[in-house]
Amino acid sequence: MRPLLGVVALVTLVSLVSLVSPGLACPAPCSCSTKKNGRLLAECAYRELRDVPRGLSANITILTLSANRLGRLGRASLAEAPELQSLWLGYNRISSVEPGAFAALPHLKNLDLSHNRLADFPWQDLRNLSALQILKLSNNRLAAVPRGALAGLRELRSLWLNDNELATLARGTFEGLPALAQLQLFHNPFDCSCKLFWLKEWAHGSSAVLSGAGSTLCAAPAGLRGRPVTDIPGALCVPPSAQLTYLSGPRDGPTLTLHCSVAGSPPPEIRWRIRTAARRVDIRGPTAARDRGGAEGGRQRFVAFKNGTMAIPDFGKEDEGTYTCLAVNDVGTRDVSVNVALAGSANPAEELPRDDPQAGHAGGHGCAEGGQPHPSAAAEKLVIVYHVPGRARSGAGAREFRLGILPLALGLLLW
Ligand SMILES: *[C@@H]1O[C@H](CO)[C@@H](O)[C@H](O)[C@H]1NC(C)=O
Ligand SMILES: *[C@@H]1O[C@H](CO)[C@@H](O)[C@H](O)[C@H]1NC(C)=O
Ligand SMILES: *[C@@H]1O[C@H](CO)[C@@H](O)[C@H](O)[C@H]1NC(C)=O
């Protein structure tokens, strides 16, 4: 009796596995078919499945698992189907996806994870999905999209992030998506501080359509609640501008004084970046208060005041280098640099033109990324030659030169 039972079981299994297309392995709860275009479809929707079924044909290209009870996707859950182009996982209960679950699907074009319970997503897997065209993550619990998470999805046409818990998005989130035609962001609790102002500008300038822009609303601050994100008043958010000036000739010693005046809204924070032959110093706030306590020695020799003035007492040969002022606010970053070198006995700076109304912000470098400034600013550096005052000069007192108009050629004055 036993051998016969075994044969019956085997026959049942085989008939379950190959229901429609002979030669195409198909998991028992699913129905599989070959579409006209030769693509293989495994249809497993509405089956009350708790896991991705085993036994998929390795050459399956479309897998529908919508409206099941999937709760978690493990790293290997889709390993049987590396040829997948479309994966429909909407209307499940998926709350976690292990990193790597999608990375092994290099041909994936459509990924639907909408209407699940995702508070996180394995964003790093997207780096492997260079063919992705449609990504639906709507109606989940996502509170963030990491900076750069979408970069490199050159085929992505449609991105749904609506009905999540996004309060903000990093500047540049939708950069590097040349094919993007449709973006859905509505029904998220956006905080329309100036950190999000870029989104308004992006929406106005991009060829992609922000679907439901009228429902893409601010939840905060109170004054903007209910207002569309595309309607954040521009006067509140002005990118920083910065201007460096050189205040020469303090009476009390060979101190080099630079002044960085900044403007913008919200008011920019001033940072300094100093590069000399021997050191690299980054100053993120005023150091003057600390200095006043009498910190002697080399470490605190660059004194940054709250008002944007930077003093370098006893400016010497070892302090020659590049002094950069960075103005940073939620809208962006601007940097302006100056090269400082010691002069000989003559003071070539005397010959520099002063107070040119065109001086403006030449030498500055805007930064749209809002993060690290671009190193390319090096090409725009201006040069001042600082003469350590050996004797009192006529008309002593703070003498101000606008650096904006100093041509690079001034570097020649060093020789
Ligand atoms: C899919 O693969 C199976 C074997 O794994 C093969 O028998 C079948 O012909 C393939 N189908 C197509 C459409 O390539
Ligand atoms: C994802 O891509 C990286 C780099 O291209 C590769 O090393 C890795 O093996 C891929 N991951 C999978 C699971 O295929
Ligand atoms: C900034 O403050 C310092 C210290 O109080 C002062 O020496 C300097 O002159 C001020 N700079 C300007 C431009 O007012």
Side-chain angles (χ1 to χ4, degrees), residues 247 259 292 305 307 309:
L247 308 169
H259 184 72
R292 215 163 267 153
F305 293 98
N307 61 6
T309 293

Side-chain angles (χ1 to χ4, degrees), residues 100 103-104 128:
N128 290 58

Side-chain angles (χ1 to χ4, degrees), residues 92-115:
N92 276 283
R93 301 170 185 178
I94 301 170
S95 58
S96 79
V97 179
E98 199 178 341
F102 301 130
L105 306 174
H107 309 293
L108 204 58
K109 290 181 182 165
N110 307 307
L111 176 57
D112 179 7
L113 275 158
S114 62
H115 295 272

Side-chain angles (χ1 to χ4, degrees), residues 271-275 279-285 287 290 300 302 304 310 324 326 372-373:
R271 301 179 189 166
W272 292 91
R273 190 172 59 204
I274 299 161
R275 299 291 180 262
R279 39 156 114 212
R280 306 163 68 81
V281 181
D282 292 291
I283 299 172
R284 289 182 76 98
T287 61
R290 275 179 273 153
Q300 288 293 317
F302 305 110
M310 151 80 61
T324 302
L326 299 121
Q372 292 303 306

Side-chain angles (χ1 to χ4, degrees), residues 38-58:
R39 297 216 188 123
L40 300 182
L41 164 70
E43 169 64 65
C44 316
Y46 299 97
R47 301 293 202 279
E48 311 209 336
L49 299 175
R50 289 173 187 275
D51 291 296
V52 177
R54 297 284 118 197
L56 289 164
S57 173

